[in-house]
Amino acid sequence: MSEESVDVAVPYTIWQATIDPAVDTWSSQQGLPRPEIRERGRGQQVVYRVPKETAEAIFDRIDHQSTGLGDAVLRTRTRAWVRKARGALTGAPQAAPRRRRADRRSETLSAEVSDAVRHYLELVDTGAPPLRTSGRSEATVRDELAEVDQRLEVTDDVLARLDLLSTRRRLLDELEPHPVGTPDELETAFVRHAARFAEAKGYGAEVFRDFGVTDDVLRRAALVTDTETEGA
């Protein structure tokens, strides 16, 4: 009976820095199958369908290659990914993340609530949805663009070039600010979270009304009642 195969989904930046055949011969020496490129959020994953034993070998190779990475942030991210991916494959318990899960959930919820209120108020204030970027520095993105352009000049493999062109387009897109949402989306998020935000801050509806939030939105956000709206 053949060994069960599993998917090993390596974030593109980690794959590119460690086992990309264009810069490292290990994967071709091991006879790894051609991976599939999948989109995930604003990034990409390089996915190998391999037996578990080969998956472990991939983890070992990426972990080994991470020691030579000059980018400290990428090196730390790579090692963390290897630990998480290996734990998911073996089913090993991850006690530390589990102890902090409740805290992370609270932090994420707080950020979601605050961002919902902030983004809608920025819309009210300026008349346009606020813009956002990936959060990475422009210098970092431009350095990666320069590296991709250099590799495009020397790479002959057409599929490798296609991957590089896809990465180049993603990086260029990363440099362009994008609206955080449509006006309707921002208003819906505000209506969902404003009451929780107001309770935590001790704000009354009058504060939001003074800022320019309409009574209709305040009512749908449960910050005022119909009676209070009529008497305002």
Side-chain angles (χ1 to χ4, degrees):
M1 182 179 295
S2 60
E3 186 178 356
E4 178 186 359
S5 293
V6 296
D7 283 344
V8 178
V10 188
Y12 190 88
T13 52
I14 293 177
W15 174 84
Q16 189 178 51
T18 55
I19 61 171
D20 180 355
V23 297
D24 182 67
T25 61
W26 179 84
S27 58
S28 58
Q29 292 173 350
Q30 297 297 312
L32 292 186
R34 185 180 296 277
E36 176 187 354
I37 306 297
R38 296 179 185 172
E39 297 292 333
R40 182 180 181 183
R42 292 178 61 84
Q44 294 177 314
Q45 291 182 329
V46 180
V47 183
Y48 292 95
R49 184 70 176 174
V50 293
K52 286 186 177 180
E53 182 178 346
T54 304
E56 286 285 1
I58 292 174
F59 298 150
D60 289 341
R61 181 61 179 181
I62 293 176
D63 193 32
H64 172 76
Q65 292 294 92
S66 70
T67 61
L69 296 178
D71 186 329
V73 174
L74 180 58
R75 183 167 62 248
T76 300
R77 180 187 171 208
T78 300
R79 290 174 175 173
W81 176 85
V82 170
R83 289 194 298 270
K84 182 178 179 180
R86 181 174 279 133
L89 179 66
T90 62
Q94 300 182 17
R98 190 167 302 180
R99 285 196 301 269
R100 298 184 58 192
R101 185 176 301 165
D103 292 339
R104 287 203 308 270
R105 180 180 177 183
S106 176
E107 290 169 3
T108 301
L109 181 62
S110 177
E112 180 182 4
V113 171
S114 297
D115 285 346
V117 174
R118 176 185 296 106
H119 293 159
Y120 181 68
L121 293 182
E122 289 177 355
L123 171 66
V124 171
D125 191 43
T126 66
L131 303 177
R132 68 179 174 194
T133 60
S134 66
R136 299 201 299 159
S137 72
E138 180 178 346
T140 298
V141 177
R142 291 198 180 280
D143 285 346
E144 292 183 13
L145 267 173
E147 180 181 348
V148 168
D149 288 340
Q150 290 176 357
R151 295 179 61 191
L152 277 169
E153 293 179 0
V154 300
T155 302
D156 294 328
D157 185 275
V158 294
L159 292 182
R161 289 175 60 197
L162 189 66
D163 287 343
L164 289 169
L165 287 171
S166 175
T167 300
R168 190 177 193 279
R169 179 173 291 275
R170 175 178 58 79
L171 291 171
L172 288 172
D173 184 63
E174 196 172 342
L175 290 173
E176 294 296 326
H178 298 279
V180 297
T182 66
D184 286 345
E185 290 170 341
L186 299 184
E187 184 175 295
T188 298
F190 177 84
V191 166
R192 183 183 303 121
H193 296 298
R196 185 179 304 175
F197 181 88
E199 181 180 3
K201 294 289 189 179
Y203 294 160
E206 297 81 6
V207 174
F208 295 99
R209 186 180 286 125
D210 291 344
F211 198 93
V213 180
T214 66
D215 284 341
D216 175 63
V217 173
L218 293 175
R219 184 179 65 254
R220 289 190 288 118
L223 290 171
V224 297
T225 65
D226 289 337
T227 302
E228 290 172 326
T229 302
E230 292 171 0

